[in-house]
Amino acid sequence: MFICTARFSKRKALTALLVLAVAAVMLILLFGGRRDKETAPDLPRTATNEERVAYLRSFGWEVEPEPLETLQFLLPEEMTEPYLAYNKLQLTQGFDLNNCRGKQVSRYTYAVTNYPGRPLGVQANLYVCEELPAAGDILCPGADGFQSALAFPEEGT
């Protein structure tokens, strides 16, 4: 049997505990928000209507200043269809709804006023989770409708 003993004064013990506590807090701050930083390094806040409109404009879209519809829902912990199919579109543009599973999500739908060749009927959906954009699409409902990523279409497409 091997026994090791050490002698610490109360002052040294408190100093050591303080150093460990500071190190633990630094590790929590450094790695606690790591998931958000890795998945969305440069995403702007979209908590206010002005921030959401500005975000859509950053893609080149002109939208009516007030949303047509606002909807809040709880994204399920276990995603099934149609969430899985929709998330495939989101992955192509750098979003991942898996980061919002089990969380409250808000969908804001805006009327798009500058879609090439379609002056009416096109909408922009922006999904916000924890004040950050979580997903989005451009949608034209109806028989000749479509759904695409947020990127503004290139000329000729």
Side-chain angles (χ1 to χ4, degrees):
M1 178 192 266
F2 181 71
I3 299 175
C4 182
T5 59
R7 202 170 225 194
F8 288 103
S9 67
K10 287 182 182 180
R11 186 178 201 182
K12 286 182 181 179
L14 287 175
T15 302
L17 284 174
L18 181 64
V19 168
L20 287 173
V22 168
V25 168
M26 289 178 66
L27 286 173
I28 289 170
L29 291 175
L30 183 64
F31 294 110
R34 185 175 178 178
R35 188 182 98 198
D36 291 339
K37 289 178 184 173
E38 285 181 354
T39 58
D42 296 323
L43 291 178
R45 284 176 32 98
T46 49
T48 68
N49 188 58
E50 291 78 18
E51 290 170 336
R52 291 186 293 274
V53 169
Y55 183 70
L56 291 169
R57 284 186 177 150
S58 74
F59 287 94
W61 298 114
E62 291 299 324
V63 297
E64 292 293 330
E66 293 299 319
L68 296 170
E69 180 181 55
T70 300
L71 173 73
Q72 292 186 342
F73 61 97
L74 184 66
L75 193 65
E77 284 284 346
E78 226 19 75
M79 287 199 310
T80 58
E81 292 300 338
Y83 296 111
L84 293 173
Y86 187 69
N87 199 39
K88 286 181 184 176
L89 172 66
Q90 299 312 309
L91 290 169
T92 66
Q93 57 185 355
F95 295 121
D96 187 356
L97 285 173
N98 285 307
N99 296 327
C100 297
R101 289 183 300 169
K103 296 180 183 176
Q104 186 78 20
V105 176
S106 298
R107 183 190 75 195
Y108 301 92
T109 302
Y110 293 89
V112 173
T113 60
N114 69 331
Y115 194 90
R118 292 204 186 207
L120 298 172
V122 179
Q123 301 171 348
N125 288 313
L126 184 60
Y127 293 82
V128 176
C129 180
E130 298 178 340
E131 299 185 349
L132 295 174
D137 63 86
I138 301 300
L139 173 74
C140 184
D144 63 339
F146 59 87
Q147 184 177 34
S148 64
L150 286 174
F152 198 84
E154 296 178 20
E155 259 186 65
T157 57

